[in-house]
């Protein structure tokens, strides 16, 4: 797909008043990514000559997002005061490359558009202007497509100025257009300010063309779901639902079971292997890849992580920027903080927190432990309540627990410290020195037994 003679204008300057927000509308997220992300992504796949985002309201924020997230040099256009979609196109016109022949116009607030649809529009574009329309159940808010008795489009009427007859029309303007460059460069300046709304409507270009006997080419799309425009948070929610349904259906078709698909949150970037099972209320985001036959149980949160095959993540576990290898068992109620690597067949149990640590194969920390800045080697057993004291108030220090070591219940490992192979620490010990291989490290005051204490206590009280 190479469209070296196509320039793409993306309208993203509007304030988005109907969002009732301090943030620019196009930065409001759908399943974790600002809506403009999806539009740019679809546009970039076309490999166009150039992309011209038109920005105005909080333009620095929008530009920064685009620059930071796409390795691409955009030709940003600035609209001083957003005075309507035609005014936005005027701001973009001066940036158009002289070798462009077609100009594709997209809206930053129509985010679910697909690259395939855009390709189809570019292929089917003929003459001066191609309009993309669709039919919707509820056309409120959209520009209505007015056709004559020969079914030819004669104009677009915006909601604000439509009469009752026009408002009943369900064929709407999707806000996606393709123009020949010469036509657009000439006609955009002929659009007059709408007297009622005091805006320059790009949609008025249709009646101007019709008056000049220019044929309007239309592409009517059957499935309107991916052409929804977003002007308020209800529409944002509806678009999120549509996108989520699509993600989950694709995963289901590739072999993933969802026990309660309505209750999960899952982003477009997430990959899951076949025969994995996702339980209710699971949240999976970012660059997360889950292997095959893995079970993710209720209420689990996973962000930017790599999970292997046959892993079992039990309820209410939180995993961030970590890696879990095949057949590991995690949770319930475990917390894996960034840079944790859990090797195959390791077990991390309830109320265990792991931070920036590697837990090798077969090692276990089954209950109530904190392991931070540590290397825990193969088959180590970490007892209930054991803690790595990794922070001295100023710096973080490292703990190294070697193969087959046994860390007794409630041991405090004061880092930096090394526990040798097959070494044991006694329950409740505070370990401040390295323990050699095979040794027992125990640090405990002698136990005092005072017989008949309850009688002595009564006597003292009198
Ligand atoms: C627009 C169309 C309408 C169509 C609908 C599809 C016009 C006049 N109306 O209506 O026919 O059915 O989209 O979703 O074009 N923008 C600017 N600068 C401006 C004004 C808007 O860049 O001065 C941008 C907005 O950021 C937005 C896009 O243009 O991304 C569309 O503007 P919006 O105000 O949302 O138009 P709609 O009322 O949705
Ligand atoms: Mg809109």
């Amino acid at each position: 797909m190479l469209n070296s003679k196509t320039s793409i204008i993306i309208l993203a300057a509007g304030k988005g008043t109907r969002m009732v927000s301090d943030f620019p509308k196009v930065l409001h997220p759908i399943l974790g990514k600002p809506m403009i992300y999806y539009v740019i992504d679809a546009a970039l796949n076309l490999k166009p000559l150039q992309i011209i985002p038109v920005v105005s309201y909080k333009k620095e924020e929008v530009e920064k997002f685009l620059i930071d997230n796409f390795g691409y040099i955009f030709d940003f256009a600035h609209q001083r005061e957003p005075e309507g979609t035609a005014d936005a196109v005027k701001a973009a016109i001066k940036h158009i490359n002289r070798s462009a022949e077609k100009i594709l116009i997209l809206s930053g607030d129509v985010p679910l558009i697909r690259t395939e649809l855009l390709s189809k529009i570019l292929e089917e574009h003929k003459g001066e202007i191609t309009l993309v329309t669709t039919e919707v159940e509820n056309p409120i808010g959209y520009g209505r497509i007015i056709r004559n008795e020969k079914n030819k489009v004669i104009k677009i009427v915006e909601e604000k100025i439509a009469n009752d007859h026009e408002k009943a029309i369900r064929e709407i303007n999707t806000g996606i257009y393709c123009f020949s460059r010469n036509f657009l460069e000439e006609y955009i300046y002929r659009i007059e300010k709408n007297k009622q709304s005091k805006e320059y409507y790009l949609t008025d270009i249709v009646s101007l063309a019709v008056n000049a006997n220019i044929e309007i080419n239309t592409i009517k799309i059957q499935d309107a779901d991916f052409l929804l425009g977003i002007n308020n948070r209800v529409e944002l929610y509806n678009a999120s639902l549509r996108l989520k349904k699509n993600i989950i259906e694709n995963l289901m078709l590739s072999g993933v079971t969802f026990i309660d698909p309505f209750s999960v949150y899952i982003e477009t970037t997430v990959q899951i292997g076949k025969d994995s099972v996702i339980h209710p209320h699971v949240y999976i985001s970012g660059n997360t890849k889950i292997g095959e036959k893995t079970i993710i149980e209720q209420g689990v949160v996973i962000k930017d992580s790599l999970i292997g095959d046959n892993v079992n993540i039990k309820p209410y576990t939180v995993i961030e920027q970590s890696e879990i290898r095949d057949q590991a068992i995690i949770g319930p109620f475990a917390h894996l903080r960034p840079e944790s690597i859990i090797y195959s067949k390791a077990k991390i149990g309830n109320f265990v927190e792991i931070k920036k640590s590697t837990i090798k194969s077969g090692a276990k920390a089954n209950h109530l432990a904190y392991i931070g800045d540590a290397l825990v080697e193969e088959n180590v057993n970490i007892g209930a309540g054991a803690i790595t004291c990794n922070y001295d108030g100023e710096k973080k220090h490292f703990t190294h627990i070697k193969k087959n070591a046994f860390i007794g219940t409630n041991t405090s490992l004061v880092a930096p410290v090394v526990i040798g192979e097959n070494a044991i620490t006694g329950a409740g010990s505070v370990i401040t020195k390295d323990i050699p291989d095979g040794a027992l490290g125990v640090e405990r005051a002698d136990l005092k037994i005072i017989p008949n204490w309850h009688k002595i206590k009564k006597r003292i009280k009198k």
Side-chain angles (χ1 to χ4, degrees):
M1 228 184 296
L2 188 67
N3 292 286
S4 56
K5 295 206 177 299
T6 300
S7 295
I8 303 182
I9 297 175
I10 296 177
L11 307 181
K15 184 170 183 300
T17 316
R18 291 164 278 180
M19 294 300 282
V20 194
S21 173
D22 289 338
F23 304 106
K25 172 163 77 172
V26 295
L27 290 189
H28 278 264
I30 296 182
L31 299 190
K33 291 216 163 64
M35 55 176 110
I36 195 166
Y37 176 92
Y38 297 94
V39 183
I40 299 281
D41 192 46
L44 275 174
N45 288 337
L46 295 171
K47 301 201 168 48
L49 174 61
Q50 61 177 159
I51 295 182
I52 310 171
V54 185
V55 290
S56 176
Y57 179 68
K58 299 211 171 161
K59 62 177 189 294
E60 296 77 16
E61 282 177 40
V62 181
E63 287 185 9
K64 184 175 182 322
F65 172 79
L66 295 184
I67 292 165
D68 290 351
N69 284 274
F70 295 95
Y72 183 81
I73 299 170
F74 294 97
D75 294 318
F76 288 105
H78 296 156
Q79 202 184 354
R80 231 176 280 145
E81 268 301 309
E83 285 194 293
T85 43
D87 185 55
V89 173
K90 271 188 246 168
I93 282 280
K94 14 186 191 310
H95 298 267
I96 286 179
N97 190 301
R98 293 290 96 192
S99 55
E101 288 171 6
K102 293 180 196 172
I103 296 168
L104 183 65
I105 297 188
L106 308 175
S107 289
D109 70 345
V110 182
L112 304 189
I113 44 151
R114 307 285 182 81
T115 307
E116 301 84 70
L117 172 64
L118 300 181
S119 290
K120 179 179 150 84
I121 296 164
L122 291 174
E123 273 161 32
E124 293 184 13
H125 169 71
K126 57 176 190 270
E128 309 294 0
I129 159 169
T130 296
L131 206 62
V132 183
T133 76
T134 189
E135 261 185 42
V136 289
E137 279 300 312
N138 175 10
I140 290 175
Y142 290 101
R144 311 298 204 281
I145 304 294
I146 315 294
R147 292 177 183 263
N148 65 12
E149 57 292 346
K150 288 184 192 136
N151 206 31
K152 295 257 184 246
V153 173
I154 49 167
K155 62 176 173 174
I156 299 175
V157 179
E158 290 304 305
E159 173 84 30
K160 279 184 195 157
I161 49 178
N163 59 36
D164 287 349
H165 169 70
E166 290 161 340
K167 278 186 183 161
I169 294 172
R170 294 197 294 118
E171 187 182 6
I172 57 118
N173 169 30
T174 63
I176 302 168
Y177 322 79
C178 188
F179 293 100
S180 74
R181 176 161 71 89
N182 296 337
F183 169 82
L184 185 66
E185 283 180 342
E186 185 183 339
Y187 277 73
I188 194 72
Y189 294 102
R190 298 193 189 179
I191 295 173
E192 289 173 12
K193 203 178 232 181
N194 184 285
K195 289 189 185 70
Q196 261 166 281
S197 66
K198 309 267 186 304
E199 279 184 41
Y200 294 90
Y201 285 157
L202 177 58
T203 44
D204 284 348
I205 206 164
V206 173
S207 49
L208 289 174
V210 171
N211 289 342
N213 283 325
I214 291 169
E215 181 109 1
I216 312 290
N217 181 35
T218 55
I219 299 177
K220 193 169 173 184
I221 307 296
Q222 291 306 322
D223 183 4
D225 283 10
F226 291 94
L227 296 163
L228 301 169
I230 295 173
N231 298 310
N232 59 44
R233 294 181 201 235
V234 176
E235 289 167 351
L236 186 72
Y237 166 70
N238 286 332
S240 302
L241 281 185
R242 189 61 195 87
L243 185 60
K244 181 180 128 177
K245 186 165 181 274
N246 190 50
I247 294 168
I248 290 178
E249 283 174 0
N250 284 339
L251 286 168
M252 284 174 166
L253 293 174
S254 62
V256 180
T257 296
F258 286 85
I259 291 180
D260 177 15
F262 299 104
S263 68
V264 304
Y265 173 92
I266 199 154
E267 294 182 354
T268 48
T269 39
V270 172
Q271 296 175 48
I272 308 179
K274 71 169 186 300
D275 291 323
S276 284
V277 181
I278 310 298
H279 286 228
H281 301 289
V282 163
Y283 178 109
I284 312 176
S285 69
N287 291 322
T288 292
K289 193 172 171 199
I290 296 173
E292 298 183 358
K293 300 186 180 67
T294 279
I295 299 173
I296 312 288
E297 295 190 37
Q298 171 142 342
V300 167
V301 174
I302 305 175
K303 299 178 181 170
D304 298 312
S305 295
L306 208 59
I307 316 282
D309 298 336
N310 292 296
V311 171
N312 185 0
I313 315 279
K314 296 191 176 186
Y316 304 105
T317 290
V318 177
I319 300 170
E320 303 157 273
Q321 291 165 42
S322 290
E323 183 183 337
I324 295 169
R325 301 201 178 158
D326 301 350
Q327 297 178 61
I329 301 176
I330 315 290
F333 299 100
H335 186 186
L336 271 59
R337 291 169 51 201
E339 295 182 56
S340 297
I341 307 175
I342 313 299
Y343 277 54
S344 60
K345 296 185 183 166
K347 265 184 87 182
I348 305 298
N350 36 208
F351 307 106
V352 173
E353 177 178 340
I354 311 277
K355 190 220 83 173
K356 207 177 178 179
S357 294
T358 299
I359 313 294
K360 294 249 178 130
S361 299
K364 291 189 189 101
N366 276 337
H367 344 257
L368 302 151
Y370 170 63
I371 301 171
D373 303 299
L375 168 62
V376 176
E377 291 189 2
E378 287 82 357
N379 303 317
V380 163
N381 193 322
I382 308 269
I387 299 280
T388 54
C389 309
N390 59 328
Y391 185 50
D392 61 10
E394 279 175 29
K395 280 192 198 136
K396 301 278 165 61
H397 300 281
F398 195 74
T399 301
H400 184 177
I401 307 174
K402 295 189 176 172
K403 272 183 209 165
N404 304 321
F406 185 99
I407 307 301
T409 301
N410 257 359
T411 299
S412 296
L413 299 166
V414 181
V417 70
V418 178
I419 310 298
E421 245 180 81
N422 293 305
I424 299 182
T425 67
S429 298
V430 177
I431 305 292
T432 51
K433 292 185 194 126
D434 293 352
I435 310 293
D437 292 353
L440 165 69
V442 58
E443 185 268 5
R444 227 187 268 159
D446 282 345
L447 177 65
K448 266 186 201 155
I449 306 272
I450 305 171
N452 296 320
W453 173 245
H454 70 287
K455 287 181 190 157
I456 299 168
K457 215 165 80 180
K458 275 185 200 154
R459 243 181 282 140
I460 295 170
K461 273 190 181 166
K462 278 178 197 162

